[in-house]
Amino acid sequence: DIVSTMGDIAVEEMDHFRRVHQKIEERGLKLGWERKDQYVHDLAKFFVRTHDRRLNLVNKLLLSAMIEARSCERFRVLSKNINDKDLAEFYHELMISEGEHYKTFINLARKHGEGVVDVDDLWEKFLKYEAEIIAELGTKELIHG
């Protein structure tokens, strides 16, 4: 189930990237260099790599769920507060997609974490850890931070 699901998400994310790049070019802009995402880097530190493949999988799924959940929230804010109708609709569409990805990742973590870890408890601890990261990042203009 993970391979099929992840394949679908990967195709959708590549379509999003293609469409974002198209919007950038339509506005006469250029795609910038990839930057290190401090928020994601710091989030990943929460999970300690183990020899338990299922626990490692659950950890990766929870990290992905967090990133998608926060992306959903940010696209909602953007869609509600931008004066460009085209971008507002695009951001709204991305918001819905990211929300679905969040639900997919969290549900997969629960399914594959059964008997390995209390996923909901781990998620709650992860949320508290994330709150600390956000407080430390301050108000820098970052997509995830």
Side-chain angles (χ1 to χ4, degrees):
D1 66 335
I2 288 182
V3 173
S4 296
T5 301
M6 295 308 294
D8 292 343
I9 289 175
V11 168
E12 190 174 346
E13 292 288 3
M14 283 308 301
D15 181 59
H16 292 166
F17 175 78
R18 180 188 57 77
R19 292 175 61 205
V20 165
H21 187 246
Q22 183 179 16
K23 299 265 183 217
I24 289 169
E25 288 184 328
E26 285 172 3
R27 286 159 174 75
L29 304 170
K30 288 185 178 182
L31 186 64
W33 290 97
E34 181 180 8
R35 294 178 293 176
K36 179 181 173 183
D37 191 324
Q38 192 64 45
Y39 169 78
V40 173
H41 175 77
D42 290 346
L43 271 185
K45 291 178 185 177
F46 178 78
F47 298 108
V48 177
R49 187 142 172 83
T50 72
H51 293 292
D52 186 327
R53 293 175 67 193
R54 283 183 60 200
L55 180 56
N56 290 334
L57 172 63
V58 168
N59 291 344
K60 288 178 185 177
L61 290 166
L62 291 179
L63 176 62
S64 298
M66 182 72 78
I67 292 167
E68 296 294 312
R70 297 306 179 233
S71 293
C72 173
E73 291 171 346
R74 284 160 178 82
F75 282 127
R76 181 179 186 282
V77 169
L78 288 169
S79 71
K80 298 282 186 192
N81 293 287
I82 194 165
N83 292 328
D84 182 318
K85 185 180 178 199
D86 177 56
L87 285 180
E89 290 173 3
F90 182 55
Y91 291 149
H92 180 78
E93 184 182 327
L94 292 176
M95 174 198 73
I96 292 168
S97 177
E98 300 297 275
E100 289 300 317
H101 295 171
Y102 154 73
K103 289 190 286 188
T104 298
F105 287 129
I106 199 88
N107 288 333
L108 283 171
R110 287 179 178 132
K111 177 180 178 181
H112 292 279
E114 195 171 330
V116 176
V117 65
D118 181 338
V119 171
D120 291 325
D121 181 61
L122 183 57
W123 179 251
E124 288 301 318
K125 291 174 182 169
F126 190 33
L127 286 171
K128 289 175 184 166
Y129 176 79
E130 186 226 15
E132 294 170 13
I133 290 171
I134 290 172
E136 289 176 17
L137 286 174
T139 58
K140 297 175 195 168
E141 294 177 10
L142 305 169
I143 189 63
H144 288 113

